[in-house]
């Protein structure tokens, strides 16, 4: 029987699936070997790369805030806002997200220490590392365990039962996209479990205090201190800072949603993923992720999460290596008959929007 | 006085501003270093950093660095050592060296000898150049002269152990210390003898300095050879019981000195500092040693399981997530010890580094910040 070209069944539940446990073990061993080879090769090139990105981020930030002070020249306002937006995107994606995964812990550089790093967004690093590094990356796309499936607000899988509330799926998604940094921070609070009474508000007191401090610090910096420093340019600086935050929100939402929710990406249940072997775990990461095609700058601006598949296989390998690793992963997938979901941003994002719209109905 | 204050004040104002809550809010959540670093890579609020301003290779297997530390440098006492951090293959690596300069000198002088397995020493001997920025840790160590220097002194060093002795000697002679000083130094060959010219010049200039250089791998009619022994000591320094002795060098030298001084029941007159690499650990299948969790004061006998499991068995509950090496929630600073990665089998000796405790098991004794 020829297997479906677009969708494959999970090997654990479907006895007719072509991949045997032996093949999956072999696949797992290949990926383990690839991982060991890359880790062994880490060195000056990787440290130089992230230092270059850190410098670029600082440069864009200083230039952006500087240009916003000159907002009486309209092009300066636009350039300043874009520049600040780029700096925030670099800070959050290629630097923050990746450093907090421990990708650069091996450098022993205190600036790149995953236990110390803090980023320019509302979600405190300590909360983020729990909900993202642990819950999302360990239980990728397991409905009920990976809380990134719908962020507790959206219906992103047929496996989530429909409710009239989800008629607003598109509206909620648009709001989540615009205010993504607050959405991510709230996500750590598990508000939906508070509403359902599973946990009490007091249990989340510490997380709430952390989030409040971060939201406050960012608001004081972007919406009070820098506008005040700008004197008569205050409204323009405030608007520029606000816009830069929104630019970052929209961009990171798009990249992240394209990583897990385009057509063809699979979700899983707790039962089918119990007692996974290493090979099965790798396999689920590939089925549950999708890549984006693009140029070098695009990959950097996405924090190399355009290589979501490689990131999910090896979350703690420096992300700028993913494009090199992808060549081998793709080849191995083709050899084992494992689907490798990839496409350009407009197509993948279009597919995500379609899915959000479709799932708003039963 | 007033003029000096005025000259310093712009600096103080800048410093005060950079330390202020206001600037902290402007750069939040980043440290202010992240931005000042664009202009001055040695500037830091708290970290000690130094620029290499002089590089001299006085022997083929060593390098002498002259360092200009930033204003966070709090100085040292002759005999102490400092941590020197250098980026090698992208990794910030720290090793300890004793300054050879005097505390009164404006700049810091370190002489680094290449050890066969020494990562930092070999790197610096080969690659040190003017303009490099290095990290420094505050000076520490008990191997120092008392604040009022004792009467007669006997200084003994082997190989690169000469550096704290140079600091002690230069400081005492610079302070016009009048009591007799015997400096006995062991080098392998004349080519390896560090600071030879300077020492000979000092010995000619200062009557109270008796300099003896022993070349352990050279023989000749006028040379004293062989390792430290009672007989050798007697021929050089009639009565070591009268002197306060400071010994710094490899393990064999320290052991020889300890044996002589303890036989003579003069232990309280002997001060030693070991200069050597830690012995590589022999890896066996059996779990040995004990694991000490330094923050909580708990110590358990190593049973070979992952550090996370052993910590939990010891009654601790370290932060963790996946328990399979993915999420890095459990990373902890490992102060010293060797770990085996239970997933890959890789064995690694680390000091003061982050490790994932869920997939690393201790090999022998270890101290971890938990």
């Amino acid at each position: 029987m020829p297997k479906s070209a677009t969708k494959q069944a999970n090997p654990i539940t479907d006895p007719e699936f072509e991949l045997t446990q032996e093949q999956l073990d072999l696949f797992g061993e290949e990926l383990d070997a690839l991982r060991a080879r890359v880790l062994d090769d880490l060195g000056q090139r990787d440290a130089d790369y992230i230092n270059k990105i850190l410098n670029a981020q600082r440069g864009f930030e200083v230039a952006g805030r500087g240009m916003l002070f000159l907002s009486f020249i309209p092009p300066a306002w636009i350039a300043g806002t874009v520049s600040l937006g780029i700096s925030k995107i670099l800070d959050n994606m290629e630097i923050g997200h990746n450093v907090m995964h421990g990708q650069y812990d091996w450098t022993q550089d205190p600036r790149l220490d995953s236990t110390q790093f803090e980023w320019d967004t509302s979600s405190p690093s300590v909360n983020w590392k729990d909900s993202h590094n642990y819950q999302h990356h360990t239980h990728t796309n397991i409905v009920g365990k990976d809380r990134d499936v719908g962020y507790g607000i959206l219906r992103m899988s047929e496996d989530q039962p429909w409710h009239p509330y989800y008629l607003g799926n598109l509206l909620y998604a648009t709001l989540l996209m615009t205010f993504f940094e607050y959405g991510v921070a709230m996500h750590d609070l598990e508000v939906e479990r508070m509403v359902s009474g599973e946990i009490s508000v007091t249990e989340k007191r510490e997380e709430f205090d952390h989030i409040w401090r971060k939201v406050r610090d960012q608001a004081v910096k972007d919406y009070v201190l820098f506008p005040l420093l700008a004197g008569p340019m205050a409204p323009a600086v405030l608007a520029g800072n606000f816009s830069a935050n929104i630019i970052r929100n929209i961009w990171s939402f798009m990249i992240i949603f394209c990583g897990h929710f385009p057509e063809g990406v699979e979700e899983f249940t707790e039962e089918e993923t119990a007692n996974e072997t290493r090979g099965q775990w790798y396999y689920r990461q590939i089925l549950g992720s999708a890549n984006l095609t693009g140029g070098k700058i695009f990959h950097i601006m996405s924090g190399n999460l355009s290589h979501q598949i490689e990131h999910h296989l090896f979350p703690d390998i420096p992300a700028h290596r993913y494009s090199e690793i992808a060549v081998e992963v793709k080849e191995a997938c083709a050899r084992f008959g494992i689907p490798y979901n990839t496409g350009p941003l407009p197509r993948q994002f279009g597919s995500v929007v379609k899915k959000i719209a479709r799932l708003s109905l039963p | 006085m007033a003029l000096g204050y005025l000259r310093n004040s712009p600096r103080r104002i800048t410093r005060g501003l950079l330390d202020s809550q206001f600037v902290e809010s402007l750069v939040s959540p980043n440290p202010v270093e992240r931005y000042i670093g664009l202009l001055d890579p040695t500037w830091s609020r708290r970290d000690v950093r130094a620029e290499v301003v002089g590089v001299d290779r006085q022997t083929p297997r060593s390098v002498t660095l002259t360092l200009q530390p930033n204003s966070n440098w709090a100085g040292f006492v002759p005999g102490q050592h400092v941590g020197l951090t250098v980026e090698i293959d992208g990794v910030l690596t720290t090793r300890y060296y004793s300054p050879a300069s005097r505390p009164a000198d404006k700049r810091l002088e370190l002489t680094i000898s290449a050890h066969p397995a020494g990562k930092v020493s070999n790197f610096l001997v080969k690659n040190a150049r003017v303009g490099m920025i290095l990290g420094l840790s505050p000076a520490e160590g008990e191997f120092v002269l008392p604040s009022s220097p004792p009467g007669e002194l006997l200084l003994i060093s082997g190989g690169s152990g000469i550096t704290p002795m140079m600091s002690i000697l230069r400081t005492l002679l610079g302070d016009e210390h009048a009591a007799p000083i015997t400096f006995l130094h062991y080098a392998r060959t004349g080519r390896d003898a560090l600071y030879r010219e300077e020492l000979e010049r000092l010995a000619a200039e200062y009557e109270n300095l008796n300099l003896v250089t022993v070349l352990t791998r050279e023989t000749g009619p006028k040379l004293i050879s062989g390792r430290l022994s009672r007989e050798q000591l007697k021929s050089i320094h009639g009565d070591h019981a009268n002197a306060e002795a400071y010994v710094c060098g490899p393990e064999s030298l320290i052991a020889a000195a300890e044996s002589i001084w303890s036989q003579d029941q003069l232990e309280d007159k002997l001060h030693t500092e070991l200069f050597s690499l830690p012995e590589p650990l022999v890896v066996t299948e059996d779990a040995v040693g004990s694991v000490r969790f330094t923050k909580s004061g708990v110590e358990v006998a190593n049973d070979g399981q992952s550090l996370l499991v052993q910590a939990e068995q010891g009654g601790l509950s370290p932060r963790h997530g996946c328990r399979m090496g993915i999420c890095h929630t459990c990373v902890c600073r490992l102060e010293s010890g060797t770990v085996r990665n239970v997933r890959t089998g890789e064995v690694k000796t680390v000091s003061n580094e982050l490790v994932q405790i869920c997939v690393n098991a201790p090999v022998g004794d270890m101290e971890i910040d938990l």
Side-chain angles (χ1 to χ4, degrees), chain B residues 83-145:
Chain B
L84 185 69
T85 302
V86 51
E87 186 183 38
I88 303 174
D89 291 336
V91 183
L92 292 184
T93 316
T94 304
R95 293 293 183 273
Y96 292 83
Y97 299 98
S98 300
S101 45
R102 299 178 309 159
D105 295 336
K106 233 180 98 196
R107 287 163 171 175
L108 195 64
E109 179 183 308
L110 300 178
T111 291
I112 293 139
S113 297
H115 284 274
K119 204 171 170 184
V120 171
S121 60
N122 279 298
F123 177 85
L124 285 173
V125 167
K126 212 168 136 194
N127 302 305
R129 51 174 178 75
V130 169
M132 259 181 155
I133 307 292
L134 303 173
L136 284 179
S137 71
E140 55 186 337
E142 306 295 318
F143 184 73
V144 292
L145 290 179

Side-chain angles (χ1 to χ4, degrees), chain B residues 291-300 310-311 313-316 370:
Chain B
V291 185
R292 214 158 69 77
F293 300 99
T294 51
K295 209 181 274 167
S296 49
V298 172
E299 186 163 344
V300 298
Q310 298 205 47
Q313 284 170 352
L316 309 179
L370 250 178

